[in-house]
Structures are given as C-alpha cells and as structure tokens.
C-alpha cells in the first residue's frame, strides 16, 4: 500500500496507486493523480482498463459533483453499407474482435480534458493519432484522423439518489450507474 500524510489515493493495483501518490508529491491534485492512476492501470491491470476504450468519472470540486463522460462514437465512415460490403449483416454478425467494432477511443481525450479543466500539471501530448489510425485501417477499420480530432468529452450532470440519508452519485447512461442507484432506491424502500 502507498501512504501519504497530505493526501491519499486508491486504486485496484498498488503500482498504480504509487503513480498517483507520486503525482501528488510533485504538486498535482486529485484530478492529476486519478489520471495518472488510470494510465498506470493500462500497464499494471490491462484486462480492466485500456487507453483505447472509454472513461467515465465523477469529480467533486468542493462545490458540486461533476460527471465526465469520455465515451467514443463510431467512426463517421461506419454505416450499414460498409458492414454489408465486408460480408456482415443480414444475420451474419460482426466478429467481436473485428476492426469495424472499434469506436473512437474516448479515454485518452477524457484524461486530457480532466487535467486541462481540473488539474494542476500538464499532460505530455504525443503524435500517436496517425499510428492509431494506421493500425486500425490496416486491420480493416474505417477510422480516420478526423474521427479522433472530432471526439469530445462531455461534462454532464451526474445522477443521484439518497440511501440511508446519504447522497450517492453515479454517471448517467449509457453507463450502468442508473442500475446501481435503482438498486439502492429499491433497498431503501424495502427497509
């Protein structure tokens, strides 16, 4: 476990927690540390998270709870004609690991936007967009640089319920947050 006397971090993996603690020691805040831990989890626990996926977060800035929704969309060039031209559709499903099933990665943009809006430290930005598009297109994707550049992270109002006198906040759909709040509301009603 990592221990700090002027701040704390928590993750599912000790090395990721250590990354967050190091960020705090360098003058970063909770937003910076959370992004550092999320990035570290890509290496230390890759089956649970990924830079090529989506990122959702709740952030309390001392006044209000904010919801960060880094959910990627399908590439602009993805449509039913593309799917059918590859021999899918009409009862033939896309294979789970086909490049056509890849959405615009929202996690990296969400991390950047969280740090830009709430952090104290700057994230290093690299020229990896071309490599992402090149690799996906080589595998058959219709992803373009414009799809990556056009991605936006949404800062939405979170959803909330009260359970045993405490407010419980969650990320709204398209996540499963509403399911957790409904379950708590049902438990509250049954008690």
């Amino acid at each position: 476990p990592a221990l700090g006397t002027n701040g704390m971090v928590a993750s599912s993996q000790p090395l990721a927690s250590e990354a967050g603690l190091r960020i705090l020691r360098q003058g970063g805040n909770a937003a910076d540390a959370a992004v550092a831990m999320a990035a570290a989890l890509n290496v230390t626990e890759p089956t649970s998270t990924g830079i090529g996926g989506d990122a959702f977060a709740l952030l309390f800035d001392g006044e209000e709870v904010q919801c960060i929704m880094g959910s990627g969309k399908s590439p602009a060039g993805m449509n039913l004609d593309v799917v059918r031209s590859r021999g899918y559709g009409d009862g033939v499903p896309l294979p789970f690991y086909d490049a056509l099933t890849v959405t615009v990665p929202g996690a990296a943009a969400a991390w950047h936007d969280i740090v830009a809006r709430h952090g104290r430290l700057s994230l290093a930005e690299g020229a990896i967009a071309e490599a992402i598009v090149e690799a996906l297109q080589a595998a058959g994707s219709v992803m373009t640089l414009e799809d990556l550049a056009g991605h936006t992270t949404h800062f939405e109002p979170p959803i909330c319920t009260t359970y045993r006198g405490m407010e419980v906040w969650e990320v709204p759909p398209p996540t499963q947050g509403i399911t957790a709040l409904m379950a708590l509301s049902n438990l509250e009603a049954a008690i």
Side-chain angles (χ1 to χ4, degrees):
L3 173 67
T5 57
N6 295 314
M8 67 178 198
V9 297
S11 78
S12 56
Q13 213 287 328
L15 292 174
S17 295
E18 179 62 30
L21 188 55
R22 285 183 185 197
I23 291 296
L24 292 178
R25 287 181 183 138
Q26 293 173 17
N29 63 15
D32 297 312
V35 169
M37 289 188 297
L41 283 168
N42 281 265
V43 177
T44 61
E45 200 173 84
T47 57
S48 297
T49 187
I51 195 168
D54 299 329
F56 302 95
L58 293 171
L59 187 136
F60 181 67
D61 64 4
E63 296 179 21
E64 67 178 345
V65 177
Q66 298 177 18
C67 173
I68 295 96
M69 298 185 67
S71 174
K73 298 178 181 177
S74 295
M78 180 58 146
N79 59 49
L80 192 53
D81 291 336
V82 171
V83 172
R84 286 185 174 146
S85 74
R86 306 281 175 90
Y88 306 118
D90 299 323
V92 180
L94 279 165
F96 187 70
Y97 293 107
D98 193 283
L100 291 178
T101 65
V102 177
T103 61
V104 174
W111 298 345
H112 173 272
D113 295 341
I114 289 168
V115 169
R117 186 179 268 200
H118 298 287
R120 290 187 193 146
L121 305 178
S122 62
L123 278 177
E125 294 186 35
I128 62 169
E130 288 181 20
I132 291 170
V133 169
E134 183 180 313
L136 287 171
Q137 287 181 352
S141 175
V142 296
M143 186 84 64
T144 66
L145 287 172
E146 290 77 22
D147 290 318
L148 295 180
H151 172 78
T152 55
T153 301
H154 297 276
F155 290 80
E156 305 284 343
I159 54 178
C160 178
T161 193
T162 302
Y163 179 72
R164 295 189 174 190
M166 295 187 302
E167 290 182 325
V168 180
W169 298 88
E170 271 290 355
V171 177
T175 73
Q176 294 296 316
I178 195 165
T179 305
L181 296 182
M182 290 170 67
L184 288 174
S185 293
N186 288 339
L187 283 171
E188 182 82 5
I191 295 176

